[in-house]
Amino acid sequence: MDFVAVDWGTSNRRVFEIAGGVVTATREDDQGILNCADFAGDVASIRAAAGGAPVLLAGMIGSNRGWVEVPYVAAPAGLSQIAAAVTWVQPGVGIVPGVSYSDNIAADVMRGEEVQVLGALALGEVGDGLLAHPGTHGKWIEVEDGRINRFRTVMTGDVFAALKAKSILSDLLQGEAGTGPAFVAGVDHGLAHGDLLAELFSVRARVLLGQAAKEDAASYVSGLLIGNEVSIGLGRRREPIVPVIGTAALSERFAVALDRAGRTARIVDGEDAFVAGMIAIMGATR
Amino acid sequence: MDFVAVDWGTSNRRVFEIAGGVVTATREDDQGILNCADFAGDVASIRAAAGGAPVLLAGMIGSNRGWVEVPYVAAPAGLSQIAAAVTWVQPGVGIVPGVSYSDNIAADVMRGEEVQVLGALALGEVGDGLLAHPGTHGKWIEVEDGRINRFRTVMTGDVFAALKAKSILSDLLQGEAGTGPAFVAGVDHGLAHGDLLAELFSVRARVLLGQAAKEDAASYVSGLLIGNEVSIGLGRRREPIVPVIGTAALSERFAVALDRAGRTARIVDGEDAFVAGMIAIMGATR
């Protein structure tokens, strides 16, 4: 056993036992930071199960709602800066810091995505340029000289969930969001129009006026939000190929949206990237 | 007693008894369409309390969740079109239709705001041009030749409520939203940037990075959303003075935002406009 890497998020937790540079066992449960009652006890159990191997934790576990708050490393940040800022909360138990970005206009933070970026770089799957990391709080990350140079978070998934939970669109958003023609139509509209707060209401109006099917609303709104995100994320960048790091289902949606924007997605598996990133960070801390 | 005008919305209901062209009594309660259990019975009580006078109902009572669904009148629609489309559900009991707009690109609907627009026109408070009707689903309405020519709904209030109820910003949005410097800063940002889904997350990042006070977040987000709405609503219109029909508190926020956009708000009391509109419609149905 080399070490145990833990992707400890808000809702879920994934544990990867790593030996000889490869994953030998994985476990996943719902003990994210909002559910976990005993961080220290759980970490002790994880170590014990791995024969006392070192443990490296990443993600929201290092946030102000997690176990021990670990300060962000300011961008530009690459492997050496991030590895140097790992906080060893106990001998053999480290927490990876997040990365922050700020200038006179923008301010942003990430926790966990930086590991996947470093992993994708280590795997040779991405290089300098723009990459996307879709999610509840999707990140668009500019890599320069192998470091995270700046980035921007777009609240797409969170806003979709909030609209679904409590808004005039709630009843229309309960269905499954597909990737068919309604999704593509939403993407095209989202790419072209920055007036999201108005376009969202028109979804309801179209259904009321019989111009759109209720069953298509969830797909259309998903497309509208993702199209808007892609438009924001691409900004003035001109990369023809944009790596997308994430889960298969979400990456596929972004691949469709990037295609509509005239770009090509290069899908990178988020779990592979996470493991490679943790191996790289662990190696660099020694 | 001339008649009774009822503004019957989603959550609330306001009753105005009108005699000699002026309001002689008003009542307000929480029996909006989502709470009211007996539309016919309540209307009978309202009539009885007014000595059997005719009753004219407007707002969501005519929607598919209300008492009797009354079809929208397609814009362009003025007093004569709207009055002609009042549906008499019983002798002496009428429901005002809403107004719809659609073309190849846009689709939109309103129910209730059209009464206030007709009233503001009847009062001489507005003429041809652009006007704003802020609210949970704020309307930006273009009046031409005294008719509602086209309009656009912006989901500002609804999105603010959804973000407050369920999103990463929930805890930051529980405070009161003021109109001080944080609100103005949000307005300026919202006016200048169409990338709302990214700007929203930066509110949280600024607080985490110590660049903004948690107490200012609700004001800033309110400003950001209203600035974005004003930018959408103004579009390419050039009117230096924009009438704002609504409640005093909300109109004041939009007056600040319009000022930041280099325009001047002309505040029109929404209740006065409603009463004048219902008197005009009732008169035109005879």
Side-chain angles (χ1 to χ4, degrees), chain B residues 159-198:
Chain B
V159 167
F160 187 87
L163 291 170
K164 182 173 176 173
K166 183 185 180 334
S167 80
I168 190 88
L169 300 180
S170 291
D171 61 323
L172 290 174
L173 298 182
Q174 298 306 318
E176 278 298 303
T179 54
F183 175 76
V184 173
V187 167
D188 288 352
H189 222 88
L191 284 169
H193 299 276
D195 44 9
L196 191 67
L197 291 182

Side-chain angles (χ1 to χ4, degrees), chain A residues 78-167:
Chain A
L79 179 59
S80 59
Q81 289 81 21
I82 289 169
V86 167
T87 293
W88 296 95
V89 296
Q90 295 171 359
V93 179
I95 300 181
V96 177
V99 176
S100 65
Y101 175 81
S102 77
D103 58 25
N104 287 333
I105 299 166
D108 220 323
V109 292
M110 65 167 71
R111 276 196 194 275
E113 294 89 350
E114 72 286 350
V115 174
Q116 290 173 300
V117 174
L118 295 180
L121 283 162
L123 292 169
E125 300 251 25
V126 310
D128 283 0
L130 181 70
L131 64 87
H133 189 295
T136 306
H137 305 122
K139 314 285 180 187
W140 290 75
I141 301 161
E142 298 175 20
V143 176
E144 201 172 302
D145 299 330
R147 299 186 304 174
I148 293 169
N149 196 47
R150 62 176 294 170
F151 59 96
R152 196 142 196 233
T153 301
V154 190
M155 279 182 59
T156 304
D158 202 351
V159 167
F160 186 87
L163 291 170
K164 182 173 177 174
K166 184 188 180 330
S167 80

Side-chain angles (χ1 to χ4, degrees), chain B residues 94-111:
Chain B
I95 300 181
V96 178
V99 176
S100 66
Y101 175 82
S102 75
D103 58 25
N104 286 334
I105 297 166
D108 219 322
V109 291
M110 64 167 71
R111 273 196 196 274

